[in-house]
Amino acid sequence: MRMGRTHRRGTTAVAILAALLMLAGCGSGGGSDSGSDHAAAEAPAVAREGAAAQEGGGARADAQGGAGAATDTRVDQRAIIYTGSIRVQVDDVDAAARDAAAAATRAGGFVGGDQRRSSDDDAVADLELRVPAPRFHAVVEELAGLGRQERREISTQDVTEETVDLDARITTQRARVESARRLLAQADSISDLVAIENELGRREADLASLEAKKRRLADLTALSTITVTLVGPGVTISDEEDNQTGFLVGLKGGWKVFLASMNVLLTVLGAILPWLLVLGVPVAALWWLVRRRRRNRPTAPVGAPPPPSVSVPPSVPGARSAP
């Protein structure tokens, strides 16, 4: 009995729903016909878009769905770029530099750059260490223990959304490349072949660019960068003194600019000097010879008789009138 009642209730609900739909169709009048025609006209386009989505867009939808879910992931699952810089004063700069490099190596990283100045008490060493992100903070603490820490700066950048977006774009671009390759195999004319090859080359270039960005982000998130500055006990210039103002600071800066300008001027002069020797010397010699010949040319005084070599035409007698 209970099952019969449930069945009758379901049938009644279906009948009521059908009646409501019929009433809504009658109330819409002629608009429903145009809407049906419009829907029928758009059906092929929707079908084509659905087929394209099945080919490559479905993967992008999945990746974009992952992008929305990535917002709720835990901190250890996010893509974060760690960057830090630390300045430490030590007794022996060379020994501390070796210890810093060893700390990076033990953590699974390496030394990306090493610059050192002097070897006395005022020695300075600048190291760029690349260490795995999980070991970033531990390595920073180990570097701070090499001596007396003077400065520490740590910054982070969350690139989770950018990474997920790149994954989706790479998936879509790969599908576009494969589609162009299939069209290239089906080309039956030279013009179609050339056009599809150009389009395939453009799509492959875009895919390579996206993959390069993804590799760059993967490198930055996998290996964090730590810039270590190790200074000897004789170095007394602090970061605050670098921003000081005054007459002597201005004079020192102006002198540096003057020396830099003179260096540029001498460089330009050295670049054009061979041209001056090759072209300028012959032109100057020719100009000097022309000017000398003009000076040595004789000039006749005003009212002087012409030279003997020049014949004077005879004078013509005046015409006489007839008698």
Side-chain angles (χ1 to χ4, degrees), residues 240-250:
E240 291 76 14
E241 293 178 349
D242 293 337
N243 299 325
Q244 64 182 351
T245 59
F247 175 76
L248 295 179
V249 176

Side-chain angles (χ1 to χ4, degrees), residues 16-39:
I16 293 173
L17 180 60
L20 292 176
L21 291 176
M22 291 176 64
L23 290 175
C26 293
S28 60
S32 62
D33 296 335
S34 60
S36 300
D37 296 339
H38 184 68

Side-chain angles (χ1 to χ4, degrees), residues 8 15 22 25 41 106 128-129 144-145 159 184 196 235 242 268-269 312 315:
R8 286 196 297 272
M22 291 176 64
R106 286 194 301 270
E128 181 179 340
L129 307 180
V159 293
L184 183 63
I196 296 175
V235 179
D242 293 337
V268 173
L269 181 60
V312 179
S315 59

Side-chain angles (χ1 to χ4, degrees), residues 21-98:
L21 291 176
M22 291 176 64
L23 290 175
C26 293
S28 60
S32 62
D33 296 335
S34 60
S36 300
D37 296 339
H38 184 68
E42 289 184 350
V46 173
R48 289 193 298 268
E49 292 178 358
Q54 184 178 3
E55 178 181 355
R60 180 177 61 181
D62 295 338
Q64 289 178 349
T71 307
D72 300 331
T73 56
R74 297 191 302 271
V75 175
D76 57 350
Q77 295 178 350
R78 303 186 68 85
I80 300 177
I81 300 176
Y82 294 94
T83 305
S85 63
I86 185 172
R87 178 187 174 101
V88 182
Q89 188 176 40
V90 296
D91 296 333
D92 191 344
V93 173
D94 291 334
R98 288 192 297 268

